[in-house]
Amino acid sequence: MVYAGQGDARRSIALLWRTENAPAPGGTGPGGTGPARSGPKPGLTVDAIVSAAVTVADEDGMAALSMRAVGERLGRTAMALYTYVPGRSELLDLMYDAVHAELPSDYPDTENWRASLTRWAEDTLAFHLRHPWVLQVSQARPVLGPHEYTALNTLVRLLYGTGLDAHLLRRLIGTLFHFVRGSAQTVAESRQAAAVTGQSDEEWWFARSALLGEVAPDFADRFPDVGRLESESAPEPPPADDTVPYLERQARETFTTGLGVLLDGIEAAVRRTGAP
Amino acid sequence: MVYAGQGDARRSIALLWRTENAPAPGGTGPGGTGPARSGPKPGLTVDAIVSAAVTVADEDGMAALSMRAVGERLGRTAMALYTYVPGRSELLDLMYDAVHAELPSDYPDTENWRASLTRWAEDTLAFHLRHPWVLQVSQARPVLGPHEYTALNTLVRLLYGTGLDAHLLRRLIGTLFHFVRGSAQTVAESRQAAAVTGQSDEEWWFARSALLGEVAPDFADRFPDVGRLESESAPEPPPADDTVPYLERQARETFTTGLGVLLDGIEAAVRRTGAP
DNA sequence: CGAAGTTACTTTATGGCGTAAGGAGTCGCA
DNA sequence: TGCGACTCCTTACGCCATAAAGTAACTTCG
């Protein structure tokens, strides 16, 4: 987990909101187009670097996102990036905000908040699965970039559709995010583990079960309720299209069911305040 | 995020379930007490290493958890640990399972599942705040240690108190964990950010707001719903004991409210299946 | 036109990390 | 007493972020 806001806050924010139009670490002034720059022409742009970094992170994961790797993808050394970006942490902030531009914001403004929130949750889940490294960027000190704010604004708008009190809404935001992000994390980690180890969920689970049986033959006695749950909730044969891995299918079921439960809870609150 | 199960799975499991009673990387056989060991007396134990590592991680965070740091705390070099533990990844697995022993399992078996689940959520939240690094250990390929299973068994037992179908229960587990872990993560990251940067949430938020105002004076127009939410959900003056930082207090409110909503949703499911 | 100044980018270096390899010393047993 | 097993250390390698200094391209000023 990486934390933002270490460096020069003003420069970070300026980069995020694209207020300065030149690389200029020295800072020739935040003002307009300037009187033409001296020195060699910049061969890169902040956008190009951010985009290359996103590609690296999408393809090979957060662990593979090094300054060297990003530079290499652009035909430069790692140090070349420091002309445009203060450091790795700030680059991460820029990446984070950049991908948030992908999130849709054009949900129909119908009275059916439940359908809208469901679509929002599904879109947000898919977004995090496209960019799983986003889950590893700290939330505590939000990056506060324009696209993140746009995404937040969308959710707030949908939530206002419930007609609930603003204080309650504010708290629901976090709950919804926790749920979607958690769901995404399970799937993302499952995929990455499969990619890294070259072993599918099924294979892994099978091997581990065998070892567990060796090492804890008294399993059913020590963990009776888990045992009961496993026997009672039969594994359900996969549907015709069994291309989706085991854990992933289960995670998606958890997502659908959990979202339903969550929305039921919100509905209860709506009914409670709606007809006092 | 670190992935488990890379190395020798059998040795990992044996370490987790403490099946081998000696360090023995060569492996004198998994069998009983053995015919007395030769060589110098081991100066360390797996437990001592795990406990030292947990202390390091608790105090200085996951980022500070290096083999060198753990060794230093025990008066050894980093390489000395490799006699007892295959590597950093496996050490993490052991730490993860070890701290799960702290989770209580003696919830009263009353019919009031709502109260029990609330207490479970609070205990689990507190646990994650005591050991925030746990949030950074991958969930996808569970470590499958004895204490983790005990903790899981506890939650399953409480959930059976709802009388719901096993399939539904299975999916609720993930939802509850997502929620609690997400809530914990917000608080943990807020604390760590404050510790690392030496800046409180209030200070940070205030400074950023000022910068944001400079860079996006049209904020209220661009993000009308966020603006509306912020003005309508007044910041609520802190209670007499304002020792709790801003974001943290907000996160706790999100936790309480969100948990209530979640349990309302479960209650709806109970009522639905209970009286068909 | 040529010197000076500015800027993009590279090379080199520092101090961190996990861990492979090999060596030194300690102990139990023959 | 010697040998093998064992713990623990030193050294080394290849990663990482990034500080510092050098090189070359380009603009502007004299």
Side-chain angles (χ1 to χ4, degrees):
Chain A
M1 201 67 52
V2 192
Y3 293 91
Q6 320 275 46
D8 181 352
R10 171 164 270 108
R11 181 145 136 77
S12 290
I13 292 266
L15 272 169
L16 271 172
W17 294 75
R18 294 297 196 280
T19 292
E20 50 182 29
N21 51 345
T28 8
T33 326
R37 312 178 48 78
S38 74
K41 293 268 171 8
L44 296 176
T45 60
V46 172
D47 286 314
I49 292 173
V50 170
S51 151
V54 166
T55 307
V56 170
D58 285 348
E59 287 178 2
D60 305 324
M62 183 70 118
L65 184 82
S66 65
M67 299 299 271
R68 277 171 169 79
V70 176
E72 203 163 329
R73 186 169 288 259
L74 294 163
R76 303 290 142 94
T77 65
M79 291 310 293
L81 309 181
Y82 286 86
T83 306
Y84 301 87
V85 155
R88 186 181 189 272
S89 162
E90 289 81 358
L91 174 56
L92 256 168
D93 289 351
L94 292 171
M95 294 166 60
Y96 183 89
D97 196 65
V99 289
H100 273 78
E102 292 176 14
L103 281 170
S105 61
D106 59 340
Y107 298 96
D109 237 342
T110 71
E111 282 158 32
N112 190 350
W113 57 265
R114 192 161 175 136
S116 298
L117 278 181
T118 302
R119 276 202 46 210
W120 171 86
E122 283 165 357
D123 290 341
T124 307
L125 177 72
F127 163 78
H128 281 104
L129 292 182
R130 273 198 306 277
H131 307 295
W133 49 269
V134 165
L135 295 166
Q136 292 171 56
V137 178
S138 166
Q139 298 293 296
R141 304 265 166 115
V143 174
L144 296 187
H147 298 118
E148 188 189 6
Y149 258 113
T150 304
L152 177 61
N153 194 73
T154 302
L155 174 58
V156 172
R157 181 162 50 81
L158 295 185
L159 278 176
Y160 263 121
T162 61
L164 287 170
D165 169 67
H167 287 94
L168 184 51
L169 288 196
R170 175 166 224 150
R171 291 163 197 175
L172 285 180
I173 294 173
T175 303
L176 282 167
F177 265 118
H178 293 337
F179 173 72
V180 173
R181 287 172 60 97
S183 302
Q185 192 148 357
T186 305
V187 177
E189 287 176 0
S190 162
R191 285 184 187 173
Q192 177 141 14
V196 168
T197 64
Q199 194 179 28
S200 78
D201 288 332
E202 282 96 336
E203 292 163 354
W204 179 84
W205 191 262
F206 186 78
R208 283 279 159 143
S209 295
L211 286 174
L212 255 183
E214 282 180 30
V215 104
D218 54 344
F219 190 90
D221 290 335
R222 288 177 69 175
F223 315 106
D225 301 287
V226 172
R228 183 181 160 199
L229 182 69
E230 280 181 358
S231 66
E232 285 184 7
S233 72
E236 292 187 30
D241 60 336
D242 64 339
T243 51
V244 181
Y246 178 64
L247 276 183
E248 195 157 325
R249 197 168 55 244
Q250 222 170 295
R252 286 186 180 279
E253 286 170 0
T254 295
F255 175 76
T256 311
T257 308
L259 183 60
V261 168
L262 210 47
L263 294 181
D264 284 350
I266 296 179
E267 203 160 311
V270 170
R271 216 175 293 118
R272 218 176 294 133
T273 62
Chain B
M1 200 69 50
V2 191
Y3 293 90
Q6 320 276 46
D8 181 352
R10 172 164 270 108
R11 180 144 137 77
S12 289
I13 292 267
L15 273 171
L16 269 172
W17 294 76
R18 295 295 197 281
T19 292
E20 50 183 27
N21 50 347
T28 8
T33 326
R37 312 174 47 76
S38 74
K41 292 266 160 33
L44 295 176
T45 61
V46 172
D47 286 314
I49 291 173
V50 170
S51 149
V54 167
T55 306
V56 170
D58 285 349
E59 287 179 1
D60 305 324
M62 183 70 118
L65 183 83
S66 66
M67 299 298 273
R68 283 171 169 84
V70 176
E72 201 165 328
R73 186 169 286 259
L74 294 163
R76 303 291 140 92
T77 65
M79 291 310 291
L81 309 182
Y82 286 85
T83 306
Y84 301 87
V85 155
R88 187 180 189 272
S89 162
E90 289 81 358
L91 174 56
L92 256 168
D93 289 351
L94 292 171
M95 294 165 61
Y96 183 90
D97 196 66
V99 290
H100 274 78
E102 291 175 17
L103 280 171
S105 62
D106 59 341
Y107 297 97
D109 238 343
T110 70
E111 282 160 31
N112 189 350
W113 57 265
R114 195 162 171 133
S116 299
L117 279 181
T118 302
R119 275 202 46 209
W120 171 87
E122 282 165 357
D123 290 342
T124 307
L125 177 71
F127 163 78
H128 281 105
L129 292 183
R130 273 199 305 278
H131 307 294
W133 49 270
V134 165
L135 294 165
Q136 292 173 55
V137 178
S138 166
Q139 300 292 296
R141 303 265 167 116
V143 173
L144 296 187
H147 298 119
E148 188 190 5
Y149 258 113
T150 304
L152 177 61
N153 193 73
T154 301
L155 174 58
V156 172
R157 180 161 51 80
L158 295 184
L159 278 176
Y160 263 121
T162 61
L164 287 170
D165 170 67
H167 288 93
L168 184 52
L169 288 195
R170 176 166 223 150
R171 291 162 198 179
L172 285 180
I173 294 173
T175 302
L176 282 168
F177 265 117
H178 294 337
F179 173 72
V180 173
R181 288 172 59 96
S183 303
Q185 192 148 359
T186 304
V187 178
E189 287 177 0
S190 162
R191 285 184 187 174
Q192 177 140 17
V196 168
T197 64
Q199 194 179 29
S200 79
D201 287 332
E202 281 96 336
E203 291 162 354
W204 178 85
W205 190 262
F206 185 78
R208 283 279 157 143
S209 294
L211 286 174
L212 255 184
E214 282 180 30
V215 103
D218 54 344
F219 190 90
D221 290 334
R222 288 177 69 175
F223 314 108
D225 301 286
V226 171
R228 182 180 161 200
L229 182 70
E230 280 181 357
S231 64
E232 286 184 5
S233 72
E236 291 188 32
D241 60 334
D242 64 339
T243 52
V244 182
Y246 177 64
L247 275 183
E248 194 157 327
R249 196 168 57 242
Q250 221 170 296
R252 286 188 181 280
E253 285 170 1
T254 296
F255 176 75
T256 311
T257 307
L259 183 60
V261 168
L262 209 47
L263 294 180
D264 283 350
I266 296 180
E267 204 161 309
V270 170
R271 215 174 295 121
R272 216 177 293 132
T273 62

